Amino acid sequence: MKFFSTRGKSEVNCSANAIAKGLADDGGLFVPEKFPKVSMAELKSMLDFDYAERACFVLHKYLEEYDYAELLSACKNAYSKFEDSDGAPIVKIDDNFFIMELFHGPTLAFKDVALTLLPYLLRKGSDISGIKENILILVATSGDTGKAALEGFKDADGIKIMVFYPSEGVSDMQKLQMCTQEGGNVNVVGVKGNFDDCQTAVKKIFISKQVEQDFKQRNVVLSSANSINFGRLAPQITYYFSAYCDLVNSNEIKMGEEVNFVVPTGNFGNILAGYYAKQMGLPVGKLICASNDNNVLTEFYLTGTYDCNREFFKTTSPSMDILISSNLERLVFELSNRDASLTAKRMEELKSNSKYSITEQEKAKLYEDFYADYTDGEECAETIADFFDEYGYVLDPHTAVAVDVANKYLENSEDERAMVVLSTASPYKFPHDVLKAITGNAPTDAFKSAKILNEETATPIPEQLSKLKEKQRRFTAVIERDKTLEAVVEFIENK
Ligand SMILES: *Cc1c(COP(=O)(O)O)cnc(C)c1O
């Protein structure tokens, strides 16, 4: 299967090439030439599979040149790092209302679902593509991708990884998780600015021909572990299928019945994977895009204009504090009936004028599959408190945003389809804000907050976090955003 760039000036022969490259040469994102289908009979056969088998089955529809048995063993290995080897267990909260818990992996955020598998996909993809150089992964993170990527790639053969995070834009726990990372091939650097500044700086390095040539002479090729990489996106498609199978197996829905998914959204990778699942034939109703105060996507949904020239807010859901949602480009490309030159023009407008618009016709198409709304900080805290009161279930702030948007949607519609909220992080990654929401106050120290949260809610503190306290802080550098390339070069030369 070929992969095209959303901007039309680049294509590759197979998924392995797309994954190895990360970003297309013209700055666009790789999309599959068509969406492979999963038939009802195939979906039925997936009912009896475990999570790793479901993952392999879905992935292989795109990753045709990967050996099936080898891919399956890579999936088994990746998902053995999750509690009960399940990447996406479903919890029933109420009639027709479910939470898909995507945070039972090594770093307690949904990014683990893709990033435990990506090292294999990338190593193999590079081998298939005939790439002999060492691989350098550059990551811009809003908090969770960085840690998940570091954990996934630490001590991987022939691969180095460097993570940039916004120095003031991540939670204490997130920062500590990254700065204490072990492994001989890793580096972590804070960048002054917000996530968009980080992402833009890293993208600039990716598309520079000069950098590419310089690095090649040093026997290094760049790749990306961000969700612009198809290898990140593809494993995320699995859990929509898996959730569906679990709901059928527990008799909550009948085979063929549509299900709605509510997704706390930042870079638009998670929800786009749901759209891909729907294109592949999964009976999905609405994909509900939930934002925090940085509600650029809600506005896009309502007006058809994407305008990132607006105030940036720091919220209690930092992994969604994003104004430039990279993966929206893939959706806009589909909405335009795959008009790559129009997509390229719009992305050019976004770069020069900070905005672009879609047509009324495209907007109508958007409305067939999506709904969007947002939740402010106060509503988010109330949701955490109310949900704990009512169900004894502790939400993290990102998931709370999605739950509140789900409630708003249900209040205004007669939609009776089952509703699955994607839970993207453990509440213990954000103990201060979660505790404050539930009890009204919380100590600033994250570990103290975690301890009280544990006592108040009788939920266990994940071991990965309690262990952090004793770990050495290896990475403390913070740089100006125009110094990112220098920092990368230094990292390559140092070892
Ligand atoms: C990354 C992240 C999100 C946003 O996901 P996107 O794929 O970027 O839309 C939401 N919640 C948490 C906890 C995250 O780590």
Side-chain angles (χ1 to χ4, degrees):
M1 182 184 300
K2 281 193 173 152
F3 279 72
F4 304 138
S5 164
T6 47
R7 302 190 192 174
K9 297 233 160 49
S10 173
E11 70 171 56
V12 291
N13 283 328
C14 62
S15 66
N17 298 159
I19 291 168
K21 277 187 86 67
L23 194 65
D25 283 335
D26 59 2
L29 309 189
F30 284 117
V31 289
E33 64 175 319
K34 62 176 188 329
F35 289 107
K37 298 292 175 199
V38 172
S39 68
M40 274 300 142
E42 286 176 314
L43 190 56
K44 273 191 189 129
S45 74
M46 287 172 73
L47 292 176
D48 297 329
F49 292 178
D50 67 17
Y51 191 83
E53 289 164 341
R54 288 173 184 167
C56 182
F57 188 83
V58 172
L59 281 166
H60 201 262
K61 295 268 174 191
Y62 294 97
L63 313 188
E64 296 161 318
E65 61 291 348
Y66 287 68
D67 177 72
Y68 199 95
E70 197 185 290
L71 182 61
L72 180 59
S73 112
C75 289
K76 296 246 183 221
N77 178 40
Y79 298 118
S80 70
K81 295 171 184 155
F82 284 68
E83 230 172 278
D84 303 324
S85 299
D86 189 350
I90 298 278
V91 177
K92 181 169 182 172
I93 299 292
D94 210 334
D95 281 348
N96 262 345
F97 199 91
F98 305 87
I99 288 188
M100 169 157 51
E101 296 184 343
L102 298 169
F103 57 81
H104 294 290
T107 76
L108 309 170
F110 91 94
K111 308 295 199 294
D112 286 326
V113 179
L115 283 161
T116 47
L117 190 61
L118 188 63
Y120 165 77
L121 298 182
L122 189 64
R123 182 73 266 167
K124 191 74 194 173
S126 301
D127 292 348
I128 294 172
S129 306
I131 294 171
K132 302 271 189 297
E133 291 87 352
N134 293 317
I135 299 169
L136 174 63
I137 315 268
L138 296 184
V139 179
T141 183
S142 57
D144 292 325
T145 298
K147 178 61 185 178
L150 288 162
E151 201 52 42
F153 283 100
K154 75 168 176 218
D155 296 325
D157 270 350
I159 301 182
K160 280 186 169 189
I161 172 163
M162 183 157 187
V163 170
F164 296 97
Y165 67 92
S167 61
E168 300 304 325
V170 299
S171 83
D172 291 346
M173 217 47 122
Q174 288 176 318
K175 194 184 282 188
L176 201 55
Q177 275 188 305
M178 290 188 279
C179 294
T180 55
Q181 179 64 43
E182 292 160 0
N185 62 336
V186 304
N187 195 4
V188 179
V189 175
V191 176
K192 289 187 190 159
N194 60 38
F195 171 71
D196 293 309
D197 298 323
C198 267
Q199 178 159 259
T200 306
V202 169
K203 255 191 166 179
K204 220 159 142 185
I205 299 177
F206 269 111
I207 56 180
S208 161
K209 287 277 164 247
Q210 182 66 44
V211 169
E212 190 182 333
Q213 283 168 12
D214 286 356
F215 282 21
K216 221 167 185 153
Q217 288 186 345
R218 300 164 198 258
N219 199 33
V220 171
V221 288
L222 290 178
S223 193
S224 164
N226 279 104
S227 55
I228 53 172
N229 191 326
F230 185 74
R232 255 294 291 286
L233 196 57
Q236 296 177 181
I237 302 171
T238 303
Y239 45 72
Y240 290 91
F241 280 92
S242 183
Y244 195 89
C245 290
D246 286 352
L247 290 176
V248 172
N249 281 342
S250 56
N251 294 319
E252 295 291 349
I253 58 167
K254 289 198 188 64
M255 189 54 121
E257 216 177 304
E258 288 185 348
V259 173
N260 298 326
F261 291 94
V262 193
V263 189
T265 297
N267 224 358
F268 211 76
N270 199 358
I271 195 166
L272 184 81
Y275 176 80
Y276 274 37
K278 186 171 184 181
Q279 300 306 307
M280 294 170 77
L282 187 71
V284 174
K286 281 274 187 280
L287 291 158
I288 300 173
C289 173
S291 300
N292 62 24
D293 275 309
N294 295 297
N295 55 3
V296 59
L297 287 164
T298 314
E299 191 182 272
F300 172 68
Y301 180 82
L302 293 174
T303 64
T305 296
Y306 192 89
D307 184 353
C308 60
N309 190 9
R310 58 192 353 260
E311 194 181 344
F312 177 88
F313 297 103
K314 268 178 67 174
T315 75
T316 54
S317 42
S319 300
M320 296 155 69
D321 289 346
I322 293 175
L323 294 181
I324 305 171
S325 295
S326 291
N327 267 299
L328 188 65
E329 178 169 347
R330 285 187 166 111
L331 179 66
V332 168
F333 175 76
E334 300 299 337
L335 293 176
S336 72
N337 286 322
R338 304 200 139 203
D339 186 336
S341 58
L342 182 57
T343 307
K345 190 172 144 265
R346 284 171 171 162
M347 295 308 134
E348 206 42 58
E349 281 171 38
L350 182 64
K351 209 168 135 199
S352 52
N353 298 332
S354 305
K355 64 176 172 183
Y356 65 88
S357 299
I358 58 171
T359 64
E360 281 304 317
Q361 213 179 355
E362 289 169 317
K363 209 170 129 199
K365 216 169 145 192
L366 176 68
Y367 283 22
E368 285 169 22
D369 297 316
F370 289 89
Y371 179 82
D373 203 346
Y374 78 102
T375 292
D376 67 27
E378 210 170 300
E379 292 171 313
C380 174
E382 272 169 26
T383 305
I384 294 173
D386 292 350
F387 212 73
F388 180 66
D389 272 354
E390 197 166 350
Y391 302 109
Y393 186 101
V394 186
L395 297 166
D396 100 283
H398 304 78
T399 310
V401 166
V403 165
D404 188 48
V405 166
N407 289 338
K408 286 175 181 165
Y409 173 80
L410 289 171
E411 272 164 30
N412 297 314
S413 86
E414 268 141 46
D415 195 334
E416 290 183 345
R417 291 173 288 198
M419 185 74 92
V420 178
V421 174
L422 277 66
S423 177
T424 47
S426 157
Y428 281 97
K429 278 194 110 162
F430 311 91
H432 174 84
D433 292 316
V434 173
L435 179 64
K436 192 163 171 212
I438 291 177
T439 63
N441 55 51
T444 41
D445 182 85
F447 292 103
K448 284 188 188 141
S449 286
K451 186 158 177 292
I452 303 172
L453 186 61
N454 157 259
E455 289 159 5
E456 291 281 334
T457 64
T459 52
I461 305 179
E463 196 192 335
Q464 296 96 311
L465 293 184
S466 41
K467 276 197 314 207
L468 280 182
K469 210 170 168 180
E470 276 77 51
K471 281 198 172 168
Q472 184 206 346
R473 291 178 197 226
R474 298 179 62 203
F475 304 102
T476 52
V478 175
I479 61 172
E480 299 290 337
R481 67 182 100 144
D482 57 357
K483 295 282 189 285
T484 42
L485 179 57
E486 274 171 50
V488 175
V489 171
E490 203 174 300
F491 179 49
I492 302 175
E493 286 180 343
N494 264 349
K495 292 196 190 134

